Amino acid sequence: MRILAIESSCDETAAAVVEDGVRVLSNVINTQIELHKEFGGVVPEVASRKHIENVSDVVDKALSDCGMTLDEVDAIAVTYGPGLVGALLVGVSTAKGLSFVSKKPLIPVHHIKGHICANYIENPDFKPPFICLVASGGHSHIVYVKDYNTYEVLAKTSDDAAGEAFDKVSRVLGLGYPGGPAIQECAKSGNPDAIRFPRVNMGESGFDFSFSGVKTAVINYIHNAEQKALEINKADVAASFQEAVTDVLSRHLIDCALKYGTKKIALAGGVAANKPLRERCEALAQKNGMEFNCPSLALCTDNAAMIGCAAFHEYNAGTIADMTLNAIANLQI
Ligand code: KG4
Ligand code: ZN
C-alpha cells in the first residue's frame, strides 16, 4: 500500500510517499528555519503563510521524486494535530482536496504517533511493545506503545517541552534558533559538571517532567552574572543545561521501562537528535539489558515519512476520515 503523506504542524512543509509503512519512496522537506531565525522562534502566522506557498510544490516533488502520479497512490495521509492550528490547516485542507479529487481514502495522523512510528522505518525488526520518549519543541511524553495502535501516556511535562527549553536557553545565550543543535555544538567545549542546574521530578509517579525550572535557573544564572559584570562561560552553561535535561529525560525513560517491566526502549522527536541524549539512553539501556532504538537524525525532526508510516497502521486499524476532518491544535494521544 502506497501512501502520500503530508506534514505541516510547525515550521516544516513536508510530503512523502511510503510503501507498506516501511519503504520510503520519497521524502521531501521544505524547512522554514531560516525565515523564523530572525524572530528567535516560530511565528505561527508567518509559518501558515509559508506553508500555503510551499505545499503544492512539496507534494508535487514527493510524487515526482518516486515517479508516481496521484492516481497511483492508494491513500492520502495528513497530520491533523497537535500543532499550530493555522499551519495544520494548510496540510489538512490540501490532503482533503487531494483525497476528494482522487477518490482515495483520507487517513488522519496524530503528530506524536508519527514521531514514534519513525522508529519502524529504518529498523522494521523493532516492534511493539516498547516504551518511547518523545521529546520535541512542543511535547515531552513517555509513551507505552503496547501495539501499533495502542498507546498509553505514562508521563508528560507539566510546563515547557524539552525542545522549548533548549530554544529559550539558546536565545538567552545568544546562540540562535533552533536551540537544540546550537546548544549541542556550544556544549562540546564546555564542562557538563560546571554548574548544577535543577532536575525536577513531577506528578504522583515522579515520572512527569518540568523544564520551566531549569530554564529559569539558567536565565537567573546569566542575569546574576551580568549584574555583577562577570564573564560567563557560555560553553559551560550550555553543557551544564544539556546535562540537566539529558539526565532527567534518560532517567525517567529507564525508570518507566523498569517499572513496567519492558525490555525495549526508543527515542523520538526533534530532541532525540541530541547526541549526548542518544548516547546516555543507549548506555543506560545496555546497562539494564534493554534493546534500544532511535531513528536517524533526519527522521527525528519533523518529516512526512513518519506520518506515512503511522498512517499505514491507522489504515489497518480502520481509521479513515471524511471531508469534515479538521485541524486540532491540542489533540491528545
Ligand atoms: O520534532 P520537531 O522537529 O518539531 C516539533 O514537533 O516540535 O522538534 C523541534 C525541536 C526544537 O525545539 C529543536 O531545538 C529541538 O527539537 N532539537 C534538538 C536538537 N535538534 C533539534 N534539541 C536538542 N538537541 C538537538 N540536536
Ligand atoms: Zn514534531
Side-chain angles (χ1 to χ4, degrees):
M1 180 180 191
R2 292 188 282 203
I3 297 175
L4 169 65
I6 301 172
E7 154 66 40
S8 68
S9 65
C10 190
D11 59 348
E12 330 281 351
T13 320
V17 178
V18 182
E19 190 172 50
D20 296 337
V22 281
R23 280 180 295 284
V24 180
L25 305 183
S26 65
N27 190 19
V28 180
I29 303 175
N30 183 314
T31 179
Q32 303 176 7
I33 284 177
E34 285 306 315
L35 186 67
H36 297 284
K37 253 184 187 163
E38 70 170 291
F39 306 106
V42 179
V43 183
E45 184 58 27
V46 173
S48 314
R49 286 165 191 268
K50 208 65 196 168
H51 282 310
I52 293 173
E53 280 176 38
N54 290 338
V55 72
S56 299
D57 287 347
V58 168
V59 167
D60 283 350
K61 185 157 169 37
L63 288 170
S64 66
D65 276 2
C66 61
M68 288 181 71
T69 64
L70 186 58
D71 279 344
E72 290 167 320
V73 301
D74 299 301
I76 316 292
V78 66
T79 304
Y80 74 114
L84 303 170
V85 74
L88 287 163
L89 271 171
V90 177
V92 168
S93 310
T94 305
K96 280 162 75 171
L98 292 173
S99 163
F100 185 78
V101 295
S102 66
K103 301 187 177 59
K104 305 283 162 86
L106 176 65
I107 310 170
V109 176
H110 191 292
H111 183 75
I112 295 178
K113 291 184 186 175
H115 273 303
I116 293 171
C117 288
N119 277 287
Y120 309 135
I121 295 175
E122 293 150 314
N123 187 1
D125 292 335
F126 190 79
K127 295 181 174 133
F130 61 90
I131 288 182
C132 187
L133 167 69
V134 196
S136 70
H139 314 276
S140 297
H141 285 44
I142 296 177
V143 182
Y144 194 175
V145 185
K146 295 182 175 173
D147 64 44
Y148 288 107
N149 293 293
T150 313
Y151 299 82
E152 183 187 342
V153 177
L154 303 179
K156 52 187 188 321
T157 178
S158 46
D159 40 59
D160 292 359
E164 197 179 347
F166 268 99
D167 293 337
K168 286 182 182 164
V169 166
S170 177
R171 194 170 353 170
V172 181
L173 285 173
L175 299 175
Y177 175 83
I183 297 249
Q184 182 179 313
E185 186 55 34
C186 178
K188 274 185 188 164
S189 55
N191 172 9
D193 301 318
I195 310 143
R196 173 85 189 173
F197 289 124
R199 279 84 160 144
V200 180
N201 308 323
M202 299 287 285
E204 245 173 66
S205 61
F207 293 147
D208 283 340
F209 302 111
S210 165
F211 294 109
S212 134
V214 62
K215 174 197 72 187
T216 309
V218 176
I219 293 171
N220 288 343
Y221 178 89
I222 296 167
H223 285 172
N224 282 340
E226 275 170 2
Q227 275 170 359
K228 292 176 191 156
L230 296 172
E231 253 320 289
I232 62 155
N233 182 326
K234 280 191 190 184
D236 279 354
V237 175
S240 301
F241 163 76
Q242 183 173 253
E243 171 62 25
V245 175
T246 299
D247 182 22
V248 169
L249 289 174
S250 58
R251 215 160 17 81
H252 287 206
L253 172 61
I254 294 290
D255 287 350
C256 272
L258 290 171
K259 179 174 174 191
Y260 288 85
T262 315
K263 284 283 179 196
K264 272 187 198 180
I265 59 168
L267 298 183
V271 179
N274 186 268
K275 197 162 175 257
L277 176 67
R278 295 160 82 95
E279 288 172 354
R280 181 77 53 86
C281 290
E282 189 166 14
L284 285 173
Q286 215 165 35
K287 190 173 155 201
N288 288 280
M290 295 171 187
E291 188 182 342
F292 171 77
N293 198 70
C294 190
S296 60
L297 299 191
L299 289 178
C300 283
T301 46
D302 288 348
N303 64 87
M306 67 185 195
I307 303 303
C309 176
F312 176 72
H313 299 292
E314 290 292 350
Y315 184 79
N316 285 342
T319 312
I320 299 285
D322 61 22
M323 288 298 129
T324 62
L325 180 69
N326 205 352
I328 304 175
N330 62 351
L331 184 66
Q332 302 299 310
I333 291 190

